[in-house]
Amino acid sequence: MNVLVACECSGTVRDAFSKRGHDAWSCDLKPTERPGNHIIGDAIEAIKSREWDLLIHRLIADHPLERHVLSVLERKQKTIGAAIAAGQEEA
């Protein structure tokens, strides 16, 4: 499963998924604190960069991208839900 852990620089959650055989990545504006798959940059761009099976977003109080990230995820979820309802495999 392709997993993105947005707004994580510690690598803790990413590494937990990696140990279970998933292609797990973390993303943050800061570098990762431990070696591993990590995208330095905007979470929105990381979300758009590939197809993710699971997205985990660590909500941070007053995070400037929080509302935008959630609105993108909500739209994607609705698109996928509509495709499933219509009998399609992918949106």
Side-chain angles (χ1 to χ4, degrees), residues 4-17:
L4 176 64
V5 184
C7 302
E8 181 196 47
C9 61
S10 69
T12 303
V13 176
R14 175 203 64 212
D15 291 349
F17 277 94

Side-chain angles (χ1 to χ4, degrees), residues 3 10 19 22 27 30 35 41 44 47 53 59 64 69-70 72-73 75 79 81 83 89 91:
V3 179
S10 69
K19 286 179 185 176
H22 300 289
C27 173
K30 300 185 291 185
I44 301 300
I47 291 167
D53 300 309
L59 297 178
V69 167
L70 292 175
V72 168
L73 295 176
R75 285 194 305 272
T79 301
E89 288 187 24

Side-chain angles (χ1 to χ4, degrees), residues 16-84:
F17 277 94
S18 292
K19 286 179 185 176
R20 287 162 182 80
H22 300 289
D23 183 18
W25 290 73
S26 56
C27 173
D28 199 276
L29 296 174
K30 300 185 291 185
T32 185
E33 295 172 3
R34 58 174 102 174
N37 295 335
H38 184 73
I39 300 167
I40 299 173
D42 186 337
I44 301 300
E45 294 305 314
I47 291 167
K48 294 177 185 178
S49 71
R50 64 186 284 191
E51 290 294 319
W52 301 103
D53 300 309
L54 176 64
L55 174 62
I56 300 169
H57 180 257
R58 182 174 168 235
L59 297 178
I60 302 169
D62 300 322
H63 192 284
L65 295 175
E66 182 177 323
R67 285 195 179 105
H68 186 63
V69 167
L70 292 175
S71 68
V72 168
L73 295 176
E74 184 177 89
R75 285 194 305 272
K76 184 167 179 113
Q77 182 179 16
K78 286 180 182 178
T79 301
I80 292 169
I84 291 169

